[in-house]
């Protein structure tokens, strides 16, 4: 990695700090944590269920909250990345930068690193806080409480990458919107695939696979869900009661296979490469 | 006589740039020697900014080739030795002027210990020292252009490319820029100046290229321009002054003045003597200093309103800024 990319990454971080993006995120996190604490406190008090069932219900509630959180994260990533390149070409800011010994790919990579650091930092901090607050207010902890937040961070990173790659060529509103719609479609594709699995329907399964190949955010979301679920023995103890959960779109029976995780990584690298290619061919 | 390559700061051969169906440059061939202040003139849309972007590797030519500071166009390392003020200048608004300059020191890979001195010098040179800790977004347009000039001068570049460096500046700022360019010239720095402010170019440049519709229509040294003068003379009396003067050079009537183009200085007394001998009364003889504007307009064959705003072009004494007297 070139030095110029690191300079741009640092510049991006400084800008996030100076423009109070980090502070806004911090404020949002506090709000989120307080709201979650209150909600789960009430839920824990009011639920008539006991033992494994109680655990399952709390885990589902947590997954739903996490889904909302993943959406917020994705929006943050997509809309932070959407204006990262294009407007700076149009307003001339990049003319002065690119006239230095700096490649366009350095600018793209630097932007990506800087934004990714902000996003991942935020996702991990807020994610772990959430898990901790739920554990404190309800006593519910996922099988491995460390697993879900990195998946959530990675999911948002996928959409950030997509939005950044598009931002080299199209207007910020468009590239942010594409990322958000893509997020929704990929999620629905994942549900189609899940239903296909359950019903043994090949065309639904294929739809799910294709969605995961085109935009692998849902693969990572499934990892996050898996990371928020109760340990297998709790599920087993709940017996037939647990079956209703296993067909829910908010349930993942297994973590994403390593091959799919590798695909996520390859997808991010390839998308950045496409972004660099698009950027290189753009007239300043 | 081709100057050898080491002496050339810029050399281009048949550079062509096409944006879709628009041909911005049809085939740019020019040379700029090291240490020269080179003016690049032309009407709006002539391709000046496009040429600059090609020179800096900000844009790739459709065809043709060129060298800048001895390296082929588009080289990343060469940019370390070039300072650039874009026509569309803009710097990180959330940073202070000082921080922007430091950022460019870093991007230009200047050794870190030299940054404070470089930054201080640049701030001083462009007159922003007392605003150096203010955010750039609070700057006026002219102050931002001054900052851009400071950025372009960081690290003692060998070549400084200025794309209309005074477009946002007040008259004092323009004079400052002329001073800075003069200073660069005395340090042996090559300056490539894009402008359509002809008087400005006239005052600072050693040589100019005039471009129109994507190609160079003339390349001339400023000294040639001065030598190309003539005289205007006012004669009364029973003589056909035009016929007599016509023997010394192309002549035309301009009100009560007679303009004799390209008459050699040594010939002027002879002309006066002949006129007097023929019974004419010579009231005044004024050397006609040919301005860049005359030349510019003649070359482009355009009415002044279509080219650079005439209001910005001061007519030197004896010059003919009056459209009615255009050659
Ligand atoms: N990015 C671009 N896309 C399409 N056409 C362009 C682009 N940049 C420049 N052009 C076209 O190329 C031609 C030359 O433009 P350029 O900016 O080089 O002119 P200029 O000589 O700098 O003009 P001015 O004096 O107004 O600054 C114009 O016809 C312009 O429309
Ligand atoms: Mg221009």
């Amino acid at each position: 990695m070139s030095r110029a990319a690191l300079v741009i990454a640092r510049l991006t971080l400084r800008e996030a700090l100076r423009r109070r993006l980090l502070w806004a995120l911090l404020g949002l996190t506090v709000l989120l944590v307080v709201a979650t604490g209150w909600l789960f406190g009430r839920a824990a008090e009011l639920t008539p269920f006991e033992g494994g069932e109680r655990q399952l219900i709390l885990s589902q509630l947590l997954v739903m909250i996490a889904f909302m959180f993943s959406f917020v994260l994705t929006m943050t990533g997509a809309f932070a990345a959407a204006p990262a390149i294009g407007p700076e070409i149009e307003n001339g800011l990049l003319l002065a930068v690119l006239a230095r010994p700096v490649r366009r790919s350095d600018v793209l990579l630097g932007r990506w690193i800087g934004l990714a650091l902000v996003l991942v930092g935020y996702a991990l901090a807020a994610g772990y806080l959430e898990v901790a607050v739920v554990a404190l207010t309800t006593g519910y902890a996922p099988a491995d409480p460390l697993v879900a937040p990195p998946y959530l961070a990675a999911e948002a990173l996928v959409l950030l990458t997509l939005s950044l790659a598009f931002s080299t060529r199209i207007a910020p509103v468009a590239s942010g919107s594409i990322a958000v719609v893509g997020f929704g479609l990929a999620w629905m594709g994942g549900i189609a695939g899940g239903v296909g699995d359950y019903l043994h329907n090949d065309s639904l399964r294929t739809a799910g696979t294709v969605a995961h190949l085109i935009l692998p955010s849902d693969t990572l979301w499934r990892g996050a869900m898996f990371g928020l679920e109760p340990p297998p023995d709790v599920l087993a103890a709940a017996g037939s009661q647990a079956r209703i959960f296993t067909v829910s779109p908010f349930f993942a029976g297994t973590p994403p296979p390593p091959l799919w995780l590798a695909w996520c990584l390859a997808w991010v690298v390839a998308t950045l490469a496409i972004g660099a290619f698009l950027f290189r061919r753009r007239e300043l | 006589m081709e100057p050898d390559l080491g002496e050339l700061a810029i050399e281009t051969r048949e550079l062509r740039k096409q944006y879709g169906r628009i041909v911005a440059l049809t085939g740019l061939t020019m040379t700029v020697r090291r240490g020269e202040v080179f003016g690049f003139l032309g009407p709006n849309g002539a391709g000046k900014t496009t040429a600059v972007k090609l020179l800096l590797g900000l844009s790739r030519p459709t065809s043709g080739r060129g060298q800048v500071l001895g390296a082929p166009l588009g080289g990343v390392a060469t940019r370390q030795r070039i300072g650039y003020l874009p026509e569309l200048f803009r710097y990180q608004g959330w940073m202070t002027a000082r921080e922007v300059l430091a950022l460019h020191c870093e991007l230009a890979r200047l050794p870190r210990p030299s940054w404070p001195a470089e930054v201080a010098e640049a701030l001083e040179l462009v007159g922003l020292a007392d605003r150096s800790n203010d955010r750039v977004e609070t700057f006026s347009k002219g102050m931002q252009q001054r900052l851009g000039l400071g950025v372009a001068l960081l690290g003692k570049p060998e070549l400084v490319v200025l794309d209309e460096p005074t477009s946002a500046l007040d008259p004092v700022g323009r004079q400052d820029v002329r001073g800075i360019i003069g200073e660069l010239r005395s340090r042996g720095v090559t300056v490539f100046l894009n402008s359509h402010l002809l008087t400005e170019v006239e005052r600072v440049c050693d040589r100019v290229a005039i471009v129109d519709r994507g190609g160079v229509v003339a390349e001339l040294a400023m000294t040639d321009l001065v030598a190309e003068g003539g005289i205007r003379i006012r004669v009364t009396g029973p003589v056909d002054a035009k016929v007599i003067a016509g023997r010394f050079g192309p002549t035309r009537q301009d009100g009560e003045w007679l303009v004799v183009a390209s008459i050699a200085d040594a010939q002027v007394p002879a002309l006066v003597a002949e006129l007097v001998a023929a019974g004419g009364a010579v009231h005044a003889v004024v050397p006609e200093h040919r301005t860049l504007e005359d030349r510019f307009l003649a070359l482009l064959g355009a009415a002044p309103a279509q080219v650079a705003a005439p209001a910005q072009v001061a007519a030197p004494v004896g010059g003919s800024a009056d459209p009615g007297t255009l050659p």
Side-chain angles (χ1 to χ4, degrees):
Chain A
M1 190 192 312
S2 81
R3 208 170 95 181
L6 291 180
V7 176
I8 302 292
R10 196 144 37 80
L11 185 72
T12 306
L13 276 178
R14 277 170 76 191
E15 185 173 5
L17 259 177
R18 199 75 68 86
R19 288 202 185 274
R20 309 204 163 74
L21 173 61
L22 284 187
W23 299 120
L25 292 182
L26 202 68
L28 283 176
T29 310
V30 171
L31 206 67
L32 193 69
V33 166
V34 170
T36 316
W38 180 81
L39 176 71
F40 275 84
R42 281 302 86 85
E45 263 173 43
L46 297 177
T47 179
F49 298 101
E50 287 300 324
E53 274 176 322
R54 182 186 147 94
Q55 301 275 72
L56 274 175
I57 285 170
L58 288 173
S59 80
Q60 279 291 286
L61 201 52
L62 181 55
V63 167
M64 308 266 203
I65 296 286
F67 183 67
M68 185 277 296
F69 179 56
S70 81
F71 182 70
V72 170
L73 266 185
T74 301
M75 296 276 280
T76 308
F79 282 100
I85 307 274
E88 301 207 338
I89 297 175
E90 280 142 30
N91 68 22
L93 217 146
L94 281 179
L95 279 180
V97 171
L98 289 171
R100 297 296 179 191
V102 174
R103 289 188 179 78
R104 294 193 190 185
S105 55
D106 292 334
V107 171
L108 188 76
L109 190 61
R111 280 303 207 188
W112 188 85
I113 294 171
L115 291 170
L117 284 176
V118 174
L119 190 71
V120 170
Y122 169 56
L124 293 184
Y128 284 127
L129 263 175
E130 285 274 292
V131 173
V133 165
V134 171
L136 283 177
T137 52
T138 68
Y140 172 76
D144 185 348
L146 295 183
V147 169
Y151 274 119
L152 287 173
E155 183 195 4
L157 216 48
V158 163
L159 277 311
L160 179 148
T161 309
L162 183 71
S163 178
L164 187 68
F166 275 125
S167 94
T168 57
R169 284 311 262 270
I170 62 178
V173 194
S175 97
S177 307
I178 287 176
V180 172
V181 172
F183 168 84
L185 287 177
W187 180 68
M188 288 187 342
I191 289 178
V195 172
D197 264 347
Y198 183 70
L199 300 178
H200 303 290
N201 178 301
D202 275 339
S203 49
L204 282 175
R205 250 189 225 148
T206 310
T209 308
V210 169
H212 283 170
L213 278 174
I214 295 177
L215 186 62
S217 56
D218 188 65
T219 303
L220 296 159
W221 164 241
R222 291 180 165 267
M225 283 196 296
F226 180 76
L228 294 173
E229 282 155 11
D233 54 312
V234 172
L235 280 177
S240 63
Q241 297 288 319
R243 262 202 53 172
I244 188 69
F245 287 110
T246 59
V247 298
S248 147
F250 287 103
F251 186 89
T254 51
L259 207 59
W260 276 105
L261 291 181
W263 171 248
C264 292
L265 188 67
W267 185 94
V268 166
V269 172
T271 304
L272 272 180
I274 291 170
F277 174 78
L278 291 175
F279 191 9
R280 218 174 38 170
R281 302 201 27 165
R282 167 146 188 188
E283 293 294 351
L284 292 186
Chain B
M1 186 188 68
E2 283 277 299
D4 97 74
L5 281 180
E7 288 176 15
L8 291 183
I10 298 171
E11 189 205 14
T12 69
R13 289 274 169 268
E14 288 301 318
L15 271 190
R16 182 181 173 84
K17 179 68 185 180
Q18 224 165 317
Y19 295 107
R21 278 175 43 239
I22 299 172
V23 184
L25 286 175
T26 51
L28 182 70
T29 299
M30 65 170 176
T31 52
V32 178
R33 289 181 209 106
R34 285 199 189 240
E36 186 167 68
V37 177
F38 189 83
F40 203 57
L41 294 174
N44 294 133
K48 303 182 296 292
T49 299
T50 303
V52 160
K53 285 181 181 170
L54 293 180
L55 293 178
L56 285 154
L58 290 169
S59 177
R60 252 183 301 272
T62 310
S63 65
R65 60 192 173 78
Q67 302 202 35
V68 173
L69 299 177
L73 290 185
V76 172
T78 326
R79 297 188 206 150
Q80 215 169 333
R81 300 185 281 147
I82 306 177
Y84 171 47
L85 170 65
E87 177 180 36
L88 182 63
F89 52 90
R90 172 136 178 172
Y91 299 88
Q92 286 73 5
W94 52 275
M95 288 182 135
T96 66
R98 194 177 286 283
E99 287 170 333
V100 167
L101 289 164
L103 170 69
H104 276 268
C105 285
E106 183 162 26
L107 288 173
R109 304 183 190 171
L110 302 183
R112 195 173 280 262
S114 73
W115 295 2
E118 288 285 352
V119 169
E121 194 182 330
L123 285 169
E124 198 56 51
L125 205 57
V126 300
L128 284 177
D130 54 339
R131 296 294 299 268
S132 62
N133 293 320
D134 290 345
R135 271 181 293 119
V136 173
E137 64 199 0
T138 68
F139 280 14
S140 72
K141 193 90 183 140
M143 288 163 67
Q144 296 194 26
Q145 192 162 34
R146 282 166 182 269
L147 174 64
L149 194 60
V151 167
L153 299 177
L154 286 171
K156 320 252 171 327
E158 290 166 47
L159 168 65
V160 174
V161 178
L162 305 173
D163 198 346
E164 301 191 18
T166 59
S167 59
L169 297 187
D170 59 30
V172 178
R174 290 183 180 186
Q175 198 177 357
D176 289 351
V177 170
R178 281 200 294 275
I180 289 171
I181 293 175
E183 163 102 26
L184 290 173
R185 189 217 314 267
S186 68
R187 291 209 317 246
V189 177
T190 312
V191 179
F192 189 94
L193 175 68
N194 259 12
S195 185
H196 32 220
L197 294 182
L198 301 170
T199 41
E200 187 169 292
V201 168
E202 205 164 34
R203 288 194 212 173
V204 298
C205 290
D206 301 313
R207 227 149 52 82
V208 298
I210 295 179
V211 278
D212 188 27
R213 294 189 198 93
V216 173
V217 292
E219 239 187 282
L220 47 140
M222 293 313 297
T223 45
D224 297 344
L225 206 60
V226 176
E228 271 176 17
I231 56 163
R232 43 179 55 219
I233 186 164
R234 195 155 69 84
V235 189
T236 55
V239 291
D240 193 348
K242 200 166 177 187
V243 173
I244 297 172
R247 296 204 287 271
F248 291 82
T251 304
R252 97 193 123 79
Q253 196 75 42
D254 176 18
E256 49 180 13
W257 291 90
L258 200 58
V259 180
V260 190
S262 65
I263 177 175
D265 197 37
Q267 292 275 302
V268 176
L271 170 60
V272 173
E274 276 198 37
L275 286 168
V276 172
V282 178
H283 297 264
V285 180
V286 181
E288 170 121 301
H289 184 85
R290 214 168 165 204
T291 64
L292 189 52
E293 188 197 18
D294 297 337
R295 188 58 191 261
F296 186 80
L297 295 178
L299 280 166
L300 300 180
Q306 288 173 286
V307 199
Q312 291 168 328
V313 183
V317 179
S320 58
D322 174 2
T325 65
L326 286 177

